[in-house]
Amino acid sequence: MRIAFVADARSPITRSWIKYFIERDHEVHVITTYRCEAWPNAAFYEAPIGPGPMAVSATAQLAGQTETRKKGQALPAARTSLFSSAAFATYKWVLPLDLGRSVRAIRNLIFRIQPSLVHALRIPFEGIVAAKAVPDNVPLMISTWGNDLTLWASSNPLIARQTRFALKRADALLSDCTRDLRLAVDSFGFDETKPRAMYPGAGGVQPNIFCSGSVSPDALQGLEVPDRAEVILNPRGMRAYVANENFFQAIRTVLRTHPRVVVLCPGMAGNALAERWVNRLSLEANVRLLPSVSAERMAELFRAAAVTVSPSLHDGTPNSLLEAMACGSFPVVGDLESIREWIVDRENGLLCDPSSPSSIADRIVRALEDGALRDNACTRNRSIINERAEYRKVMPEAERFYHRVLTEASATGI
């Protein structure tokens, strides 16, 4: 296949997905909406969204220069940085009005590339510009990730209208949760007779990295974690849709009964807001605000953590949840429809109300005090990941889905 991907090529999720098709020797063309280094064995093009580099630098500054994780290195502020409250407000109101340049660039590139299929990864704003740019005679597949429908499309009427346009134009839909497959049809006009499927956004868990096992002696080196400390991990970084302030308030409650708890927070080092919460709540002795880390390092932290906490208010299927499950860390997660596709409360994790610090604290304490629950969940979660979310199984299924889309497009004359 000759596939043109429209995506933010800086994203580790994007890279994980696309690398499979490169390794399978498909002809891969990457149209990136943000500048980054080209990848081997793929044709690379730029089609910037918004007012050029200024859009990226401005939102990065608003977000406090948050970093996002990439395998092997820390990646400068990317989409993760856009989710401070101020930056998100700017991003959601400005960019939808300034997509014309990107649309023109992508339209010209599609004409040159002549792809068999175009796949836009995420609706805001790659899916929206692709829907405007890709000719009707070229099959267009769109992916939804995480918050595309429950947060972005509800953030203002223009993005909602653009989302409906994109999904009506799409010839196929991939989502990282079945909830979004339903919402796309029920609320945003996607034709239910067209191909649609659910796969984890990054293509699943890399089993050579994220797996259970003994904790490396170096896993917690340099983090000042005392012997026999109970380790809690918050892997979500600073995002406006993650209730981190409530999380830190919950930790203060947890410490009353579990004073030896040490909390690790990758992706929060140097963030002024996180530092303010920790200082105000007098958590300095127990909380470690860490820089972003490599995938391998994150896997070590998951294995070392008795409990992984994700107090998100909006989500699809978080990659960090699947990675925690694969590594044997017990999940305490927000009670969301998409999360319940993976977690059954009190069986393989605990669901909390992310808007309530007392609810988060109660679930963390319960997890720390119930070793049998954690052990049973560890066994069950390994099985779930192996059956439903292992990269080596998910991506061949996704490749077959691409072929199905092309077959059906050919049959309908696209």
Side-chain angles (χ1 to χ4, degrees):
M1 287 183 287
R2 181 184 298 162
I3 311 169
F5 291 95
V6 181
D8 178 355
R10 302 169 305 171
S11 162
I13 299 174
T14 294
R15 290 170 178 263
S16 179
W17 185 273
I18 295 178
K19 77 169 187 177
Y20 174 84
F21 294 94
I22 296 174
E23 292 170 353
R24 291 281 294 167
D25 292 326
H26 294 287
E27 184 180 332
V28 171
H29 297 257
V30 180
I31 303 173
T32 179
T33 52
Y34 290 91
R35 180 166 296 173
C36 67
E37 293 183 5
W39 311 344
N41 304 316
F44 240 71
Y45 317 85
E46 290 184 9
I49 284 180
M54 183 271 289
V56 179
S57 61
T59 48
Q61 291 170 8
L62 284 167
Q65 300 296 332
T66 309
E67 293 181 333
T68 187
R69 178 166 51 87
K70 171 188 171 186
K71 180 179 177 181
Q73 65 183 39
L75 191 66
R79 277 207 189 277
T80 305
S81 72
L82 302 176
F83 288 104
S84 72
S85 297
F88 178 66
T90 301
Y91 196 70
K92 74 177 182 180
W93 288 106
V94 174
L95 281 193
L97 299 171
D98 194 17
L99 301 178
R101 179 178 59 155
S102 185
V103 170
R104 291 189 294 273
I106 292 172
R107 184 182 294 126
N108 291 335
L109 287 169
I110 296 302
F111 180 79
R112 287 168 47 193
I113 297 167
Q114 294 292 303
S116 310
L117 178 146
V118 175
H119 186 181
L121 302 181
R122 291 183 55 130
I123 289 181
F125 290 94
E126 288 76 13
I128 292 169
V129 295
K132 294 175 181 289
V134 176
D136 290 342
N137 64 344
V138 177
L140 172 63
M141 182 188 307
I142 289 179
S143 285
T144 64
W145 289 349
N147 303 307
D148 289 7
L149 303 184
T150 63
L151 177 62
W152 283 96
S154 63
S155 63
N156 71 42
L158 177 56
I159 295 180
R161 186 162 64 250
Q162 291 173 332
T163 297
R164 291 188 185 93
F165 172 82
L167 287 173
K168 287 180 180 179
R169 164 62 184 91
D171 299 295
L173 174 65
L174 291 180
S175 295
D176 68 358
C177 59
T178 56
R179 176 205 64 198
D180 280 4
L181 296 179
R182 174 181 57 79
L183 286 176
V185 171
D186 294 347
S187 302
F188 293 97
F190 183 75
D191 184 346
E192 64 181 343
T193 66
K194 293 179 178 179
R196 51 182 172 148
M198 190 282 285
Y199 302 117
V205 172
Q206 301 280 353
N208 59 316
I209 300 174
F210 296 99
C211 55
S212 59
S214 58
V215 179
S216 166
D218 299 329
L220 302 177
Q221 186 175 8
L223 300 182
E224 299 181 12
V225 177
D227 293 340
R228 297 187 300 279
E230 299 168 300
V231 177
I232 295 173
L233 178 66
N234 178 339
R236 303 308 302 274
M238 294 297 291
R239 294 169 165 88
Y241 60 86
V242 177
N244 281 319
E245 183 174 12
N246 294 341
F247 168 75
F248 287 121
Q249 290 176 0
I251 292 301
R252 182 172 62 175
T253 301
V254 171
L255 289 171
R256 294 171 186 164
T257 54
H258 293 263
R260 296 184 63 82
V261 156
V262 172
V263 181
L264 307 179
C265 301
M268 294 194 195
N271 185 280
L273 189 57
E275 291 174 350
R276 190 179 311 133
W277 290 332
V278 170
N279 294 336
R280 190 180 70 213
L281 296 168
S282 301
L283 301 176
E284 298 91 337
N286 298 85
V287 172
R288 313 287 185 264
L289 301 180
L290 309 179
S292 298
V293 300
S294 68
E296 291 82 0
R297 177 67 166 146
M298 183 64 81
E300 291 284 4
L301 297 182
F302 279 128
R303 283 188 283 270
V307 180
T308 291
V309 184
S310 178
S312 53
L313 301 162
H314 292 269
D315 244 328
T317 296
N319 294 295
S320 58
L321 169 61
L322 302 182
E323 292 162 359
M325 294 167 67
C327 292
S329 186
F330 184 87
V332 172
V333 284
D335 188 1
L336 305 173
E337 179 182 348
S338 58
I339 300 300
R340 293 194 297 271
E341 295 177 18
W342 297 93
I343 299 298
V344 177
D345 192 36
R346 292 173 290 182
E347 292 188 14
N348 67 323
L350 289 172
L351 301 175
C352 67
D353 176 0
S355 67
S356 167
S358 63
S359 175
I360 300 170
D362 174 77
R363 277 32 168 211
I364 293 173
V365 169
R366 187 183 306 182
L368 291 173
E369 294 180 351
D370 194 339
L373 174 63
R374 296 201 310 273
D375 290 344
N376 291 336
C378 180
T379 301
R380 180 164 179 170
N381 285 336
R382 281 200 302 266
S383 177
I384 290 172
I385 296 301
N386 181 61
E387 293 172 5
R388 299 173 53 196
E390 187 178 302
Y391 187 86
R392 295 175 299 192
K393 294 182 179 180
V394 170
M395 289 310 299
E397 292 183 15
E399 184 181 22
R400 288 190 287 271
F401 183 82
Y402 278 55
H403 285 293
R404 175 190 165 194
V405 172
L406 286 175
T407 298
E408 295 195 15
S410 176
T412 57
I414 296 178

